[in-house]
Amino acid sequence: MLEEVERWLADRSWSAADRPLDQLLDLKRAAGTRVSVVLPALDEEATVGAIVEVIRRELIEGLPVPLVDELVVVDSGSADRTAEVAAKAGARVVHRDEILPRIPALPGKGEVLWRSLLATTGDIVCFVDADLRDFSATFVSGIVGPLLTDPGVQFVKAMYDRPLGDAPGQGGRVTELVARPLLNLHWPQLAGFVQPLGGEYAVRRTLLERLPFPVGYGVELGLLVDALHTVGLDALAQVDVGVRLHRHQGGQALGRMAAAIYRTAQVRLSRGHLVRPELTQFERGPEGFVPHTYPVDTEERPPMLGVKEYGRRRVA
């Protein structure tokens, strides 16, 4: 490991318990900082309501000043009751297609995160996946904390244990098999991140609006790499928030995710184009193995600062 990364681990890795909630509230009130929490959601009716309820109960209501000023669920086309459940629990629900309708929406998580910048106003934007179980408010307060206490920090990732069933520490298969080797080989300054692909992170808006967003599963790796090049390692940090429980995907879905992440890394290495942005996988049918070919996400959205609707809102 690079000496720079060893130093970074000592200086920029914390626990959520290092910053008590009352300290954060005092700093937030003094600075007048606004915090937005965004939950990108697709068919998450089983979990999104409980997450919204915890954030409202522990970080908004009954506090001398709310830690969270905006709680927004961006629905990317759910076929279930995700939007209804989230709204009933107290979130503001916005459909992906209602944001920036001039530009037709593409499928993918990164597309939703990119559009959420137009649906929120916070100085700090905190992203939280909507499939978490046994959700704790420290997933939000922990990663927002360094941004309120240290003006030099601009991007904070959550780190946690990811059990797979009853096996501790076996989650994050794409992280260990794809993302971590890529980062260690090509961006060794980022080798200290425990969960580089984790969906829970808080970022200053002034940084997010300057970054391109891969529209699909590569968004977490893309934002992390681009943030490193934009603001440097010392502006990045991570906070231990405990244990993350969520729905695990099957092997083929993970393969598609891995392909998108590899593509995102390749573009950042070469800024070129893939010869064949597709992935073929196999499923056994009645007469043997059947190939299924899927497109690999190849689109990226530009930095939000270049979008005219965003610019008009800033002027207004």
Side-chain angles (χ1 to χ4, degrees):
M1 184 176 290
L2 298 175
E3 290 185 10
E4 179 184 8
V5 176
E6 292 182 350
R7 177 193 55 75
W8 178 85
L9 279 169
D11 295 342
R12 286 290 188 261
S13 295
W14 297 293
S15 167
D18 292 337
R19 294 172 176 83
L21 182 58
D22 55 355
Q23 176 194 9
L24 300 183
L25 297 180
D26 289 342
L27 291 167
K28 180 176 182 293
R29 176 165 44 194
T33 305
R34 286 181 55 80
V35 176
S36 300
V37 173
V38 173
L39 277 69
L42 177 63
D43 296 330
E44 303 294 358
E45 67 175 4
T47 50
V48 68
I51 297 172
V52 170
E53 288 173 358
V54 169
I55 294 173
R56 287 199 61 83
R57 182 176 65 249
E58 300 187 26
L59 300 179
I60 299 177
E61 299 170 349
L63 298 175
V65 57
L67 182 69
V68 173
D69 300 282
E70 272 184 322
L71 177 52
V72 180
V73 171
V74 183
D75 186 357
S76 58
S78 297
D80 65 2
R81 298 173 55 250
T82 291
E84 177 185 345
V85 170
K88 184 176 181 181
R92 176 163 65 90
V93 179
V94 183
H95 194 281
R96 173 200 63 196
D97 296 345
E98 298 171 356
I99 307 170
L100 200 58
R102 174 178 63 86
I103 301 176
L106 295 169
K109 179 183 179 182
E111 177 83 357
V112 173
L113 301 185
W114 182 69
R115 289 174 184 263
S116 75
L117 296 184
L118 264 169
T120 56
T121 60
D123 307 294
I124 295 170
V125 182
C126 176
F127 298 122
V128 176
D129 281 350
D131 66 343
L132 303 187
R133 295 182 285 110
D134 297 336
F135 178 77
S136 167
T138 56
F139 271 73
V140 173
S141 60
I143 58 179
V144 167
L147 297 168
L148 293 174
T149 60
D150 190 334
V153 174
Q154 297 200 45
F155 188 119
V156 183
K157 296 278 292 190
M159 57 178 169
Y160 33 68
D161 294 318
R162 293 183 66 183
L164 181 61
D166 295 328
Q170 296 301 309
R173 289 161 287 174
V174 176
T175 293
E176 299 303 331
L177 296 176
V178 180
R180 199 176 307 285
L182 283 172
L183 292 176
N184 276 263
L185 290 171
H186 299 297
W187 296 281
Q189 287 178 297
L190 298 175
F193 277 94
V194 176
Q195 297 291 351
L197 299 185
E200 291 69 46
Y201 46 105
V203 193
R204 297 193 193 278
R205 178 178 293 271
T206 51
L207 174 57
L208 279 176
E209 65 189 11
R210 298 161 60 194
L211 302 179
F213 278 62
V215 301
Y217 284 123
V219 63
E220 271 82 29
L221 184 134
L223 289 177
L224 188 60
V225 168
D226 291 342
L228 172 69
H229 291 307
T230 303
V231 294
L233 182 60
D234 281 343
L236 315 182
Q238 60 184 350
V239 173
D240 188 348
V241 297
V243 178
R244 185 185 197 267
L245 301 175
H246 67 115
R247 182 183 66 251
H248 291 284
Q249 301 198 52
Q252 294 208 334
L254 294 178
R256 296 190 289 274
M257 184 185 301
I261 290 165
Y262 179 79
R263 176 263 165 193
T264 300
Q266 184 186 47
V267 168
R268 275 147 184 80
L269 287 169
S270 65
R271 293 297 172 183
H273 299 284
L274 283 179
V275 175
R276 183 179 180 270
E278 296 178 336
L279 173 71
T280 299
Q281 297 177 316
F282 294 88
E283 296 179 5
R284 183 181 289 280
E287 299 180 2
F289 286 102
V290 179
H292 296 276
T293 299
Y294 302 90
V296 174
D297 295 320
T298 58
E299 298 291 337
E300 293 197 6
R301 293 305 192 185
M304 190 58 80
L305 276 178
V307 176
K308 62 183 182 181
E309 287 88 344
Y310 190 79
R312 285 200 297 265
R313 192 185 74 171
R314 286 167 59 88
V315 171

